Amino acid sequence: MSARRFDPRTGLVVAVLAVSTSAILIRWSDAPPVVAAFYRVLFTTALVAPVALGRHADRLSALSGRDLLAAALTGVALSVHFAAWFESLSWTSVAASVTLVQSHPLFVAVGAWLVLDERVDGRTAVGVVVAVAGMAVMSLGDLLGGGVGAAPLYGNALAAVGGLMTAGYLLAGRSLRQRLPLFPYVAVVYGVAAACLLGFAVASGAPVRGYPAHEWLLFLAMAVGPGVFGHTVLNWALEHVESSLVSVSLLGEPLGSALLALVILSEVPSAATLLGGTVVLVGVAATARARSSGD
């Protein structure tokens, strides 16, 4: 895929639209969330692996022990992200879940400061504080009984864990992505994540076989839409546009998902979710832009 043949900014629009459908597809599925997550990642791996093996077999065979360790850590973090986020959608609103799972720039900023000893400037700190304040507003609304879902506070916590794991996925994969082309990178990381999710499903006792045809179609739709046209295109776009643009573009996912949930699922977010979610997204955008300008 070449930037000359395909405008990266158009790619971002396609990717955001694709990932915005993820929460709706998950809600439509009656499979246990961890099983849906497993098949989404497994089918995505199956779609990208032929390209990785056909064009970059030499790069894959030359992976060092260090690269394999980085891939393993990245894949584990990605698997926990999916397991936590898919489960969160069983307990809280689409709007709250998708907003909180997109809080990963906050965790990246804090993680880079704690783990990589990167400096946190004033604008980044303000962005983090604003976003955390938004999370507090959302949580307070849930504590007062205004949330949407069976257990919104629990679901919100799972979504935040999903955001934290996205940050771990980004930090762990940073060096590996610099040494590997797109398709070998995603094939290895998705493959590790799929193996971990299969382990989670088996350990939980969730059945991994015997689903009706419409469930398999939903699993495939999750892989093709949010998987290939969503996250894989976003990884490609990172080679051609500023990381801040990608991070801020991803903030369109909560809006798109919330609108789809309103239209398709008739799910109206609570006032606390709308207010707190807006504050969270403002803080996340500020954090992402501040970190990019400091790179």
Side-chain angles (χ1 to χ4, degrees), residues 263-275:
V263 173
I264 297 174
L265 305 177
S266 299
E267 183 178 283
V268 181
S270 68
T273 295
L274 289 174
L275 176 59

Side-chain angles (χ1 to χ4, degrees), residues 76-203:
V76 169
L78 185 61
S79 70
V80 178
H81 155 77
F82 279 123
W85 181 54
F86 273 52
E87 181 68 24
S88 78
L89 285 162
S90 299
W91 302 98
T92 190
S93 68
V94 168
S97 177
V98 179
T99 297
L100 290 170
V101 84
Q102 285 297 345
S103 63
H104 56 83
L106 314 178
F107 297 115
V108 169
V110 175
W113 171 57
L114 292 175
V115 178
L116 303 177
D117 199 28
E118 290 186 5
R119 178 176 173 271
V120 176
D121 62 19
R123 289 181 300 163
T124 300
V126 169
V128 170
V129 170
V130 168
V132 170
M135 292 179 185
V137 170
M138 295 175 71
S139 299
L140 180 60
D142 293 335
L143 284 172
L144 296 176
V148 175
L153 196 59
Y154 175 61
N156 289 355
L158 286 173
V161 170
L164 174 62
M165 288 300 104
T166 301
Y169 156 67
L170 294 172
L171 289 171
R174 176 184 293 179
S175 61
L176 184 62
R177 182 65 185 91
Q178 292 173 349
R179 296 192 295 278
L180 276 180
L182 172 64
F183 280 97
Y185 169 75
V186 295
V188 171
V189 172
Y190 293 170
V192 172
C196 291
L197 286 164
L198 176 60
F200 297 160
V202 172

Side-chain angles (χ1 to χ4, degrees), residues 179-233:
R179 296 192 295 278
L180 276 180
L182 172 64
F183 280 97
Y185 169 75
V186 295
V188 171
V189 172
Y190 293 170
V192 172
C196 291
L197 286 164
L198 176 60
F200 297 160
V202 172
S204 70
V208 295
R209 296 182 297 174
Y211 293 99
H214 75 273
E215 289 290 345
W216 296 106
L217 289 175
L218 285 172
F219 299 155
L220 182 60
M222 294 177 199
V224 174
V228 174
F229 285 98
H231 287 279
T232 303
V233 171

